[in-house]
Amino acid sequence: MPRVSTDMMNSDMQYWLRRQEDALAAQESRMARQERFESLRDDPLAAARAVRYESFTGRLERYEENVGYTLDRARLAEGYMRQAQDIMQRVRELAVTGANGIYTKEDTAAMAVEVDQLLAELVSLANARGPDGDFLFAGDKALTEPFRVVTGFAPGSGGATTTAVDYLGGTGTPRAEIAEGSYLPMNLAGDDVFWAERQRVAGSADASTFRVMNQTSILVDGREIALRPGDTVQAIIARINDSGAPVKASLDPSTRALVLEGTQAHRIRLEDGAGGSTLVQLGVLSGSGVPSDYAAGARVSGGSLFDAVMALRDSLYAGDAIETGGAVLAGVDAAMGNMNRRLAQAGSMAERLESAASRLNKEIPDMTAMLSAERDLDFAQAVTDFKMMEYARQATLQMAGRLLPSTLLDFLR
């Protein structure tokens, strides 16, 4: 039978004392971190749930930050748009006044000077920056000034003035994720907001016999449309109309050219796909590689808000009351109508963001409570358990001191 020695009793005592010390250290670590488990094996199921809850809570907090940032930008952009609409209201008043036909050419020239100053203010609003330095109406090119002023001489102005306003911003808009798989644009593109009329682009080439020779694509308002070898212009038209882009394609019955017309007031953004030249061959684009750089022979109509204001200024300088009260006033009304639509769009976006913020304000505390229930430590119970473990260890030491036999050192006293 096995021999029970004094060393074996001492080893057993050391083993169980180390077990108690490990348990004390683990409990102390839990109390320091205020978590129920020190490692995953303490409670695998609770640890797995806690990891999922923590990950989901982190995503909710990220969504909350996105909502707050996007909402601030939306409110700021809406404020600038309202200022622009107020200016356009004054521009329209000057257009109606100049169209009366009872003012002299000197009087209408004075009105044109005011219109020119209002035009400069509109450009300033369109190039507005947010508090982070990004341009609010530059689309996905937030660091690029969206509108560039071209100066020249207008008839009757007597000096250099604005003759064109070119859009240099991006063709898309950055989007923020505000919920799982739910995105909202962070701003509105300037060539949507500051536009007046539905644009129409007609190519300069006869497209009746056109065939796509290679696998390629075209981009219409940011939507990529795939083209296959052998596609005719009718197939291209059908794919554009089915793409969901706010553009209607057709074939001009007289010139047999491809015609693209916006279904709402905005600048149509056209681009050939990588390595393709379909729109260049159809006489729509110039081939420079710059999006919406139209071919010299392409017929383009439908201008921006700035074009409408400049047309009013020029007609007032010329003293042409008929032109002012006709096409010019119609252009100003179209610009105001589009601005109203964009304001409604910005307002509805802000309302949705506020609703999302309210939802997240409730959802985050709920998820935090669920995470706390799985992971957090009941501190009162933990302190009680710790004291009991200390008491048990002390009792073990006292009992071991009484039970272990005397050693040689006891006889050397």
Side-chain angles (χ1 to χ4, degrees), residues 291-365:
S292 297
D293 183 15
Y294 302 115
R299 301 184 303 279
V300 183
S301 61
S304 67
L305 174 148
F306 307 109
D307 294 330
V309 176
M310 286 186 290
L312 172 61
R313 179 201 60 194
D314 295 343
S315 67
L316 290 174
Y317 273 132
D320 190 343
I322 296 176
E323 179 70 13
T324 301
V328 171
L329 184 58
V332 171
D333 286 339
M336 293 183 67
N338 181 59
M339 183 65 73
N340 280 330
R341 285 191 295 274
R342 302 302 176 181
L343 274 169
Q345 183 179 351
S348 61
M349 187 188 306
E351 285 293 329
R352 181 180 176 186
L353 288 168
E354 289 175 357
S355 176
S358 177
R359 171 179 54 81
L360 290 169
N361 285 338
K362 181 180 182 303
E363 195 170 359
I364 290 175

Side-chain angles (χ1 to χ4, degrees), residues 46-304:
R49 287 192 295 268
V51 169
R52 289 197 298 270
Y53 294 163
E54 187 174 15
S55 174
F56 188 62
T57 303
R59 293 200 301 274
L60 290 179
E61 291 172 349
R62 178 71 262 180
Y63 298 152
E64 187 177 39
E65 293 177 8
N66 291 347
V67 166
Y69 179 76
T70 307
L71 181 58
D72 289 342
R73 288 181 65 90
R75 286 171 174 167
L76 193 60
E78 185 179 0
Y80 283 114
M81 291 164 65
R82 291 191 182 280
Q83 293 180 47
Q85 186 72 324
D86 292 340
I87 291 175
M88 287 302 297
Q89 183 61 44
R90 175 56 183 165
V91 168
R92 188 181 189 283
E93 291 173 1
L94 292 172
V96 172
T97 303
N100 284 335
I102 60 174
Y103 295 98
T104 64
K105 190 174 182 178
E106 289 76 14
D107 294 333
T108 57
M111 298 177 195
V113 172
E114 182 179 352
V115 170
D116 199 41
Q117 292 300 314
L118 294 175
L119 172 63
E121 181 61 18
L122 285 170
V123 174
S124 177
L125 292 174
N127 286 331
R129 293 176 181 262
D132 54 0
D134 291 349
F135 290 98
L136 296 175
F137 302 108
D140 53 11
K141 292 184 179 179
L143 300 179
T144 301
E145 188 175 56
F147 291 97
R148 179 185 62 187
V149 173
V150 179
T151 58
F153 292 91
S157 63
T161 187
T162 301
T163 56
V165 179
D166 297 331
Y167 180 71
L168 305 178
T171 58
T173 58
R175 300 193 304 164
E177 189 173 10
I178 63 171
E180 196 75 30
S182 179
Y183 298 85
L184 266 185
M186 297 176 65
N187 53 30
L188 299 173
D191 57 351
D192 286 340
V193 176
F194 295 93
W195 211 257
E197 302 166 326
R198 293 188 300 172
Q199 193 173 42
R200 185 178 187 273
V201 182
S204 58
D206 185 348
S208 58
T209 59
F210 177 80
R211 293 288 187 281
V212 175
M213 303 305 296
N214 302 307
Q215 188 84 16
T216 184
S217 64
I218 59 175
L219 282 81
V220 180
D221 279 349
R223 290 173 171 81
E224 186 172 13
I225 301 171
L227 302 178
R228 297 191 295 267
D231 281 348
T232 64
V233 68
Q234 297 295 345
I236 296 173
I237 289 172
R239 288 199 174 92
I240 293 175
N241 291 337
D242 293 340
S243 67
V247 175
K248 179 182 178 182
S250 61
L251 193 67
D252 190 296
S254 58
T255 63
R256 312 299 295 173
L258 175 66
V259 178
L260 300 171
E261 185 174 3
T263 58
Q264 60 186 15
H266 76 292
R267 183 179 70 113
I268 300 177
R269 309 172 190 109
L270 300 174
E271 187 177 359
D272 274 315
S277 60
T278 302
L279 294 177
V280 175
Q281 296 176 47
L282 291 171
V284 177
L285 297 181
S286 66
S288 66
V290 178
S292 297
D293 183 15
Y294 302 115
R299 301 184 303 279
V300 183
S301 61
S304 67

